[in-house]
Amino acid sequence: MFSEFLSHPDKSFVSHITNMLYANDDDAQRYVKLFHDIAKLKSDFQKYIRCGDAKGLEKDHSLLSAYIFLLNSSLDELTSAFCFLSIVSHHGDVDNFYELISPNKNFGSSFQNSKELKFLDEVVSKATGLDIYKNIKTNEQELITRAKNIYYFILKNKLKGFGYNDFIEFKRIYSSLIYADKFEAIFSQKYESLSPVSINELDSYIKHLENKNFSYKRSEFRKFVLNNFDKNHSLFTLTAPTGYGKTLTALNFALKFQKERLIYVLPFTSIIDQTYEILNEIYYNSNEILVSKAHHKTTVDENTPEDRYSKVKFFMDSFSANINVTTLYQLIFAIFGNKNKDNVKFNQLKNSVVIVDEIQALPYKIRTDFIRLCEIISEKFATVFIFMSATMPLIKSKKFREISDPIYFKNQNRYVLKWLDIGGIEANLICKIKESARDKNILVVVNTIKKAQELFLQFCDEFECFSLNGYMHDYHKQKTIKHIKDAIDKNKKGLASPILLISTQSIEAGVDLDFDIGFREIAPISSIIQTAGRINRNFNTKGTLYVFDDICGYSDTIYNDLKRIGDNILKDTLMKNDINEDEIVVLVDKFFKKVGENLEIPCLEQEIKELAFFDINTSVENILKDDYKTLVIMEPENGFIKNIETEIFALKNNHNIDIFKKRDMLKNIIKKISRFGINITSKDMKNLRLFEIKCLKNIFYLPFGDTMYNNSFGLKKDINLNVTKEMFE
């Protein structure tokens, strides 16, 4: 009926399949790629792909393709089942493994009644006319026998269960298929491995920094770490105090492995942008090195030509650049997730170096499972992992090797921790802060947004005062951090007054700011040390971090078991004696040892034993997600939302753009407005006059000019906050 079969509009079916087949594919990868789309040969699909109208046509193809694979598979039962599930799921997300044998599903007792099976003879008949399928099997009875064998194999192993290696093996096959499928569909060519990232640009950048502002300690530290390089090892920890230049040292160490790509992982979007800018600066003049960042608010440049849009977006969303900067959240779901979009990223962990900065931010509930899976990935995929922190958690694995030395902590004398007894009276704390802020740059970190905003208003009329908290959207956070950095630099040059920053833990982990004195509300030891990392960061006059007891009233609720364990160690020590920086490492080790002993267990072991892919993803989402918060957009300027609504309306009514491109462009618009979004509790939402964005269901915004949002400290946590002067740009 057709002179040529198509896999996508204007794309040859045979070309699509052959471009997906790589020389280094093993049998499982070759099978899933060869058969994943074979049911597209049926006439109904060929009519659909040409006219785009699915009315009255059976265009589904995944399940029948999976059955035809099974008929032709010479693989063992488990690998065949993994390949079958991969093909069935290649256009969607992965269900729990045992769903394969549930009634009326795949290998269930009624699978022979599947409506797709009626197209079996038609598809295999057409396939025999193509060289790539010239030896294809066609016997339906043999298919039934094979399906029953798989059914009984899975049933038999249901009691015994599977393991972490099996979990990774499935993801290897599935991710290999969907990555190759998407890459070929977008680029219409075979994927070619990347050349290793050049180290020359980084060397030049480091030399330039040293000539500009030489730091003997950072230089010696980098030499020490690089002397521990071992190309035959793949699991490392890098533990060193803040301010030692761990970022550039880790990059230097990572690039020596000459891997295909680098994936740099950070816990917060604010420091992702900071690190991305550094990397972009290093490789700015390189035409061969692509530096990309990927998090939930990353957008494709609006000026990207339409013919390049999908390609740029794919590289950004799939860790396919030479250097990829991303969030811990993205990596966690690449490893644990069942979703199609996450497993495209998983495929790119192969032959890569993954630097996980601020590893202490990894939730302790999944830390054991995460480390176990990283061990397997490194062994199977030639992946190098480098875990990095100034407050390294206990890594329960003998396979990880430390490449720094505790001596770097013992030689430090930048700050001292002191207990500040305020007698439970907040006014005493305020007096102490005011006394210190007369001639010093001061950092105050408290545990709740409400308390941070209240304290900001206490000081803003008297001092050059700034605020950072989770009720400020990203644009204002970034702008505030830049203003703070500039103000501190001017003060140190004698050109401006000292500043006072009131913050929540938004300041912790990676924000490159340097204060003279700090005040920290009681918190887990790791959080306190992260705050201390902003005190005398650049080795000047010795600073002090005062730790004071709870004033927000919710510290125990916020930190739960971590604070309980930390309090027992910290208060017992700090109430008796001050703690100098060179004594910190002992305190941190004691804390994380207790956390490891009391809180860290294989949380997902049973679900992994069942290969419950959907359930694992849900469990991890529940650990990471705050169900009590909703994203609300703070309109940044007058008419912004109206322009967005006009843009969405025009996109939806543009019939010259295919549905997949429209979907991607709509996601890009949502990411663009998310830069001005804040996750707000349901309780606080009741105080806001919100409007729904037209054409975007359940996405709300606060109009520009509403006095509930203040550019100095964000969305008011308390409607009664006494702001004498509202500030809008």
Side-chain angles (χ1 to χ4, degrees):
M1 182 175 177
F2 302 104
S3 59
E4 183 181 33
F5 297 112
L6 302 181
S7 61
H8 302 78
D10 303 318
K11 184 184 287 289
S12 159
F13 175 88
V14 172
S15 294
H16 177 59
I17 299 299
T18 53
N19 279 341
M20 287 176 60
L21 300 173
Y22 307 152
N24 61 350
D25 285 342
D26 62 14
D27 288 345
Q29 291 170 318
R30 185 171 180 81
Y31 266 121
V32 292
K33 292 176 182 180
L34 190 61
F35 286 100
H36 78 288
D37 271 352
I38 191 171
K40 284 185 175 182
L41 296 176
K42 65 186 180 184
S43 296
D44 272 15
F45 184 87
Q46 292 300 310
K47 291 175 186 175
Y48 158 73
I49 206 66
R50 284 167 168 80
C51 68
D53 184 5
K55 189 175 181 180
L57 299 175
E58 295 286 350
K59 67 181 180 66
D60 295 336
H61 63 278
S62 297
L63 183 57
L64 179 55
S65 294
Y67 282 131
I68 296 173
F69 148 75
L70 192 63
L71 174 59
N72 288 272
S73 173
S74 61
L75 303 168
D76 63 75
E77 287 91 343
L78 181 58
T79 307
S80 292
F82 282 174
C83 291
F84 185 97
L85 182 56
S86 296
I87 294 172
V88 167
S89 309
H90 81 273
H91 283 306
D93 303 332
V94 184
D95 210 336
N96 295 335
F97 184 65
Y98 290 132
E99 284 296 307
L100 285 172
I101 58 172
S102 63
N104 302 317
K105 283 252 188 124
N106 303 318
F107 300 124
S109 55
S110 302
F111 89 92
Q112 295 172 58
N113 298 324
S114 168
K115 64 180 181 180
E116 285 200 45
L117 277 178
K118 68 182 181 182
F119 295 99
L120 176 64
D121 290 340
E122 178 196 351
V123 171
V124 295
S125 174
K126 290 175 178 176
T128 54
L130 302 176
D131 286 343
I132 56 175
Y133 299 121
K134 59 185 178 182
N135 296 318
I136 192 172
K137 295 179 180 178
T138 61
N139 190 313
E140 184 174 347
Q141 189 56 49
E142 188 177 351
L143 167 61
I144 294 170
T145 301
R146 286 178 178 269
K148 285 181 178 179
N149 287 342
I150 298 290
Y151 174 85
Y152 289 120
F153 170 82
I154 297 173
L155 195 63
K156 176 183 173 184
N157 283 272
K158 193 170 183 180
L159 292 176
K160 185 175 69 173
F162 299 96
Y164 287 77
N165 274 289
D166 297 314
F167 177 79
I168 293 298
E169 176 60 11
F170 168 77
K171 286 176 70 76
R172 181 187 74 84
I173 297 170
Y174 174 60
S175 67
S176 176
L177 168 62
I178 60 175
Y179 186 89
D181 191 21
K182 292 178 189 296
F183 185 91
E184 203 291 324
I186 293 169
F187 293 90
S188 298
Q189 64 186 47
K190 201 179 286 281
Y191 174 83
E192 292 184 7
S193 298
L194 300 175
S195 299
V197 177
S198 166
I199 203 169
N200 296 332
E201 290 85 350
L202 178 62
D203 285 341
S204 298
Y205 183 81
I206 291 172
K207 286 177 183 176
H208 171 72
L209 286 183
E210 289 184 338
N211 291 334
K212 183 179 176 183
N213 185 23
F214 180 74
S215 169
Y216 175 78
K217 288 192 174 186
R218 288 172 184 162
S219 181
E220 286 301 304
F221 170 71
R222 183 165 55 256
K223 289 176 184 175
F224 182 91
V225 171
L226 294 180
N227 283 337
N228 283 319
F229 177 77
D230 181 355
K231 68 177 182 180
N232 297 315
H233 199 73
S234 59
L235 297 167
F236 302 93
T237 55
L238 174 55
T239 313
T242 56
Y244 263 74
K246 288 192 293 295
T247 297
L248 295 180
T249 297
L251 286 170
N252 209 162
F253 189 86
L255 294 184
K256 286 170 71 67
F257 283 96
Q258 294 285 286
K259 294 292 186 180
E260 192 172 339
R261 72 188 53 77
L262 175 70
I263 302 169
Y264 199 111
V265 182
L266 291 147
F268 309 120
T269 56
S270 57
I271 52 177
I272 281 181
D273 294 334
Q274 176 181 295
T275 305
Y276 171 76
E277 287 173 10
I278 293 171
L279 287 163
N280 224 12
E281 185 180 347
I282 295 170
Y283 290 97
Y284 182 76
N285 294 318
S286 174
N287 295 321
E288 299 177 355
I289 305 301
L290 175 61
V291 181
S292 178
K293 63 177 175 178
H295 56 73
H296 68 294
K297 296 179 183 177
T298 310
T299 59
V300 179
D301 190 332
E302 292 177 354
N303 297 318
T304 303
E306 188 172 329
D307 62 333
R308 292 186 62 240
Y309 184 95
S310 296
K311 297 176 182 179
V312 172
K313 187 177 187 304
F314 178 80
F315 266 79
M316 185 184 294
D317 291 346
S318 65
F319 297 170
S320 289
N322 304 86
I323 301 176
N324 307 269
V325 189
T326 191
T327 60
L328 183 57
Y329 185 96
Q330 299 272 339
L331 178 64
I332 287 171
F333 280 100
I335 290 176
F336 289 106
N338 75 317
K339 290 185 168 54
N340 194 291
K341 64 183 179 67
D342 294 322
N343 282 279
V344 171
K345 298 182 182 76
F346 180 85
N347 185 72
Q348 297 305 85
L349 299 180
K350 301 169 186 173
N351 198 32
S352 299
V353 180
V354 182
I355 299 173
V356 186
D357 203 349
E358 309 297 355
I359 185 65
Q360 80 284 348
L362 180 72
Y364 67 81
K365 290 184 179 179
I366 59 171
R367 194 173 289 150
T368 300
D369 298 298
F370 182 87
I371 291 169
R372 191 177 295 182
L373 292 176
C374 286
E375 290 175 341
I376 297 169
I377 292 167
S378 72
E379 185 178 337
K380 274 181 165 290
F381 303 150
T383 307
V384 175
F385 285 95
I386 304 170
F387 292 172
M388 195 160 70
S389 182
T391 52
M392 183 66 66
L394 179 67
I395 305 298
K396 296 179 181 177
S397 168
K398 294 180 180 179
K399 296 181 180 180
F400 277 81
R401 180 186 298 173
E402 176 61 56
I403 51 177
S404 180
D405 193 293
I407 195 171
Y408 289 105
F409 286 92
K410 294 176 182 177
N411 289 342
Q412 295 311 300
N413 195 28
R414 289 178 296 178
Y415 62 79
V416 60
L417 299 185
K418 291 179 177 286
W419 181 258
L420 179 63
D421 187 1
I422 60 174
I425 301 172
E426 189 175 313
N428 292 339
L429 171 67
I430 292 171
C431 287
K432 181 66 175 176
I433 294 171
K434 285 185 176 182
E435 176 189 323
S436 303
R438 301 296 174 195
D439 59 354
K440 301 289 184 183
N441 292 304
I442 304 297
L443 169 63
V444 180
V445 180
V446 290
N447 292 335
T448 64
I449 295 169
K450 181 179 178 182
K451 184 55 64 178
Q453 292 179 344
E454 289 173 352
L455 288 176
F456 172 82
L457 293 174
Q458 287 269 0
F459 297 113
C460 64
D461 291 334
E462 191 172 346
F463 298 96
E464 181 71 13
C465 197
F466 296 89
S467 178
L468 276 176
N469 65 70
Y471 265 24
M472 299 167 69
H473 59 64
D474 285 353
Y475 175 80
H476 280 139
K477 280 183 187 176
Q478 290 299 319
K479 193 172 181 180
T480 299
I481 289 171
K482 186 179 185 306
H483 284 169
I484 294 168
K485 192 174 182 64
D486 291 344
I488 291 175
D489 288 345
K490 285 181 180 179
N491 171 258
K492 291 185 183 297
K493 294 174 183 176
L495 301 175
S497 302
I499 68 119
L500 172 60
L501 170 61
I502 312 294
S503 179
T504 56
Q505 62 179 345
S506 300
I507 193 66
E508 295 174 5
V511 178
D512 188 13
L513 296 173
D514 187 5
F515 295 87
D516 302 315
I517 294 176
F519 295 83
R520 181 60 165 100
E521 188 173 13
I522 191 77
I525 289 170
S526 54
S527 293
I528 290 172
I529 304 308
Q530 288 293 334
T531 301
R534 313 312 125 194
I535 308 301
N536 187 23
R537 185 176 179 85
N538 293 323
F539 308 95
N540 296 308
T541 305
K542 187 173 182 178
T544 302
L545 178 65
Y546 294 100
V547 181
F548 56 91
D549 218 340
D550 179 280
I551 60 169
C552 73
Y554 295 98
S555 296
D556 288 343
T557 304
I558 293 167
Y559 293 112
N560 296 312
D561 292 333
L562 289 176
K563 183 173 178 296
R564 173 180 55 80
I565 290 172
D567 280 2
N568 290 337
I569 299 169
L570 184 68
K571 284 187 176 181
D572 285 351
T573 306
L574 200 54
M575 284 182 171
K576 297 173 185 174
N577 299 293
D578 296 344
I579 303 173
N580 288 297
E581 185 184 8
D582 59 4
E583 302 169 298
I584 289 298
V585 67
V586 176
L587 206 66
V588 172
D589 287 348
K590 190 182 292 186
F591 170 69
F592 279 118
K593 184 179 180 182
K594 287 288 185 184
V595 171
E597 290 171 351
N598 292 277
L599 302 178
E600 292 180 20
I601 58 172
C603 174
L604 302 170
E605 190 169 38
Q606 184 56 40
E607 289 162 310
I608 287 177
K609 186 178 180 181
E610 297 172 2
L611 297 179
F613 301 108
F614 176 85
D615 292 347
I616 291 165
N617 191 89
T618 302
S619 294
V620 174
E621 280 182 341
N622 290 337
I623 290 169
L624 298 181
K625 189 172 68 175
D626 190 340
D627 292 326
Y628 304 104
K629 292 185 179 180
T630 302
L631 181 71
V632 176
I633 310 302
M634 305 291 111
E635 188 175 27
E637 59 187 19
N638 199 26
F640 177 83
I641 295 297
K642 185 177 180 180
N643 291 337
I644 289 292
E645 290 172 338
T646 302
E647 187 178 351
I648 295 171
F649 184 78
L651 176 63
K652 289 189 173 182
N653 287 279
N654 188 334
H655 302 298
N656 295 320
I657 302 176
D658 70 65
I659 187 172
F660 302 107
K661 177 73 179 296
K662 278 187 181 182
R663 183 183 61 190
D664 287 343
M665 292 178 75
L666 182 60
K667 286 180 181 177
N668 203 49
I669 292 171
I670 293 171
K671 286 183 176 183
K672 183 167 66 176
I673 65 175
S674 293
R675 291 180 299 165
F676 304 102
I678 299 171
N679 290 314
I680 299 172
T681 65
S682 54
K683 177 183 176 183
D684 291 338
M685 283 185 68
K686 294 176 183 177
N687 298 326
L688 305 176
R689 190 171 61 94
L690 300 176
F691 298 86
E692 188 171 21
I693 299 177
K694 295 173 184 175
C695 306
L696 291 179
K697 190 176 180 181
N698 295 325
I699 297 184
F700 297 89
Y701 72 98
L702 185 74
F704 175 75
D706 193 301
T707 57
M708 282 301 290
Y709 190 84
N710 184 286
N711 281 5
S712 292
F713 61 81
L715 186 73
K716 293 179 186 176
K717 188 71 177 170
D718 185 343
I719 196 171
N720 297 315
L721 279 177
N722 182 23
V723 186
T724 56
K725 178 180 157 187
E726 295 293 347
M727 301 171 67
F728 295 100
E729 293 181 328

